[in-house]
Amino acid sequence: MERDNIISGRILDDMTDGVLAVDLSGTIITFNPAAARILGIAEENALMKSFGEVFLLAEENDDFNQTILDAIYESSTSHNRIVPFSCNDKRTTLALTTTFLKAEDGTDQRMGVIAVFSDITELQALQEAEARLAEELKSKHKELQAAYLKTEEGNQQLQSALKKVQIIRNTATAFTIILFLGIGLFVWNRKPASISSSPASAATVQGAATTVIPVTPQPVSSSIALTGKLLPLQMVNITSPISGKVGQVMVRYGDVVKAGQPLLTMDTSEAMIKYREAKAAYIKAQNSYQQMEKWDASADVARAHRSLAKAKLSLENQKKTLDESERLYKKGIIPATEYESAKHQYSNQQMDYQSAQEELKAAQEKGNSENRKVSRFELENAESRMRQAEKDIASSTVVAPVSGIIMKPPASGQSKEGRTVERGTTFQQGELLLAIGDLSGFSVNARLDEVDVTKVQLGQKVRVSGDAFPGQQLTGSIQSISPHAEEGEAGKSVSSFGIKVVIDSVPPELKKRIMVGMTANLEIIIYEKPDALMVPLAAVHDEQGKRYVTRKKGTAPSDAAEKVPVTTGYTTQDTVEITSGLKAGDLLEVVTPGPPPAPASPSGGKP
């Protein structure tokens, strides 16, 4: 026993945390050197002195004093608080934990309060400095965001101007097509002039030229050009397994990792506190459940039985006293007042006996099946919380679930991008830490305006090129099209729709040159045919809603011509595709207007 006391004393003396113990009379029975150093109170000025005499006179330490008093009045509760403490003009911040001091025989009888505290003034100052630095970084980040938004606004205005130019170009193309169609209709519907026609008719015939052209297959295509950024094929988000600070970061953004590789570790200080609290709650719930299972033999029921037996014995004794008083009263030995007093005491004892019976019944009722179920449920819940805390601590090392490249996670809320993972940064459980991009392929996000979005469809072929890999071209397809318009930038009136293009495979020699974030030029193929039969717009004439061409009956330009109905398809600025009615090698007559004839002189051509 003496050796145990020596060891305990050595432990208290060597502890860096302050330890203060107060018995039920309010006397300080333990005050180790660390407590004297932290609180600035000499050990001889506190040990075996009244707690109120040493501490309660200092009003500026009310939070510290109240925590100790709460532990005294609520002995079944542990308190963990952060409190200020001042002594000799020195102000510190303490992390204070209190619990009740049990009896040496191991029973739950409280013998006093023990308080363990440490000086966290420097830690708190560091936390405040960290918060100020975070605010400054946030302010700088907002300034960068504003500059980026201005740049994006300029880009959007430039794109809007390019759209207007494209609309003007399309309008001019349509006007040219209509003009040529009008000229073609004019030439087609013009009647051939006779030899005896007037000089004006002869001049008109001479002003037009008829050419014979062969029908030859040629490639034709139409596409929409967009620009985006190369992204991984898929993104796997990694969340924080526990709430706390990042302890160590083992990777950097842009690193390529393999599945199972450690990425970072979380500081388990807070998780350990939660685990100890959960384990303490589990032990209490387990004790409570065991008491409920053996409730009939519990101390409360035994105490109620003793009270009932004592009340019954007192009632029987009082009954004998009453009978004796009645006998003596009838003989005139004692006065009536003494007999009445005996009856009154007997009545009181009867009520005490009845109360003891009710207390026993109430004590036994606490151990019924419903209360036992509640106790079992509380034990199961406490065990689940403890097991979960154990898992959280075991998962403090975050590993890569898949192979890929380390990236920032997607933005949440009003933020433009995810938070940066650094040592000491605090994250809540479930908050996004990192993202891993799948580099087996790539994806590109882009926007289409409302005019072009109706021309594309899922699975449509997309050619992908980039300035960083000139002369090389990747092939992708449209994986998704947003079903609703996205919010446009300021000053942009045309609605836009988001699309996602995926590139499932990349040649190995090209994969070494392509990196995430590079600019990608997209060419969405709207129409493509390698052997289309394209003819000039002037070769096609409209008559009563149908379209015709003039085709030679033979293979020689001198052969007679005939009018053939055709079906047209894709139209360019000066040609149109013939989908039926012609074949490769056919000869067509095309009438094109020539220069206007010179006006005739009044004298019939003589000077």
Side-chain angles (χ1 to χ4, degrees), residues 318-368:
Q318 191 61 41
K319 181 66 169 63
K320 293 178 180 179
T321 301
L322 177 62
D323 292 344
E324 182 64 19
S325 298
E326 184 180 6
R327 186 178 65 82
L328 295 175
Y329 170 70
K330 289 181 178 179
K331 291 183 176 182
I333 297 175
I334 61 174
T337 56
E338 186 174 343
Y339 173 62
E340 292 296 328
S341 176
K343 287 199 298 182
H344 182 69
Q345 291 178 1
Y346 178 73
S347 298
N348 291 339
Q349 199 61 47
Q350 282 182 318
M351 288 188 289
D352 290 343
Y353 177 71
Q354 186 177 358
S355 297
Q357 286 180 318
E358 293 173 353
E359 289 177 359
L360 175 61
K361 184 178 179 181
Q364 291 174 335
E365 187 64 24
K366 288 183 180 180
N368 59 24

Side-chain angles (χ1 to χ4, degrees), residues 164-182 222 537 570-576:
K164 292 179 181 179
V165 171
Q166 185 177 1
I167 293 173
I168 294 173
R169 184 190 301 168
N170 292 339
T171 304
T173 301
F175 176 76
T176 303
I177 293 172
I178 294 172
L179 178 61
F180 275 100
L181 286 176
S222 176
L537 289 172
Y570 182 73
T571 302
T572 67
Q573 187 172 356
D574 53 2
T575 60
V576 61

Side-chain angles (χ1 to χ4, degrees), residues 18 41 135 151 202 213 260 287 313 318 358 360 380 529 538 579 597:
I41 300 173
E135 288 297 326
T151 304
I213 62 172
N287 292 336
L313 181 61
Q318 191 61 41
E358 293 173 353
L360 175 61
E380 292 173 354
K529 194 171 184 180
T579 58

Side-chain angles (χ1 to χ4, degrees), residues 573-606:
Q573 187 172 356
D574 53 2
T575 60
V576 61
E577 180 188 7
I578 303 299
T579 58
S580 65
L582 291 179
K583 65 182 183 298
D586 287 345
L587 299 179
L588 299 183
E589 281 188 358
V590 181
V591 179
T592 57
S601 62
S603 59
K606 294 180 181 182

Side-chain angles (χ1 to χ4, degrees), residues 26 28 41 44-46 48-58:
I28 300 174
I41 300 173
E44 60 271 14
N45 294 335
M48 305 310 296
K49 299 291 181 64
S50 170
F51 178 81
E53 176 186 350
V54 177
F55 290 99
L56 294 183
L57 296 179

Side-chain angles (χ1 to χ4, degrees), residues 454-493:
T454 57
K455 301 177 184 178
V456 302
Q457 57 187 352
L458 296 178
Q460 206 158 19
K461 181 180 176 182
V462 181
R463 297 192 185 104
V464 183
S465 60
D467 298 336
F469 44 99
Q472 301 288 338
Q473 193 174 76
L474 302 174
T475 301
S477 61
I478 298 178
Q479 185 186 60
S480 63
I481 303 172
S482 176
H484 57 81
E486 299 180 5
E487 295 183 3
E489 301 290 343
K492 185 177 179 182
S493 59

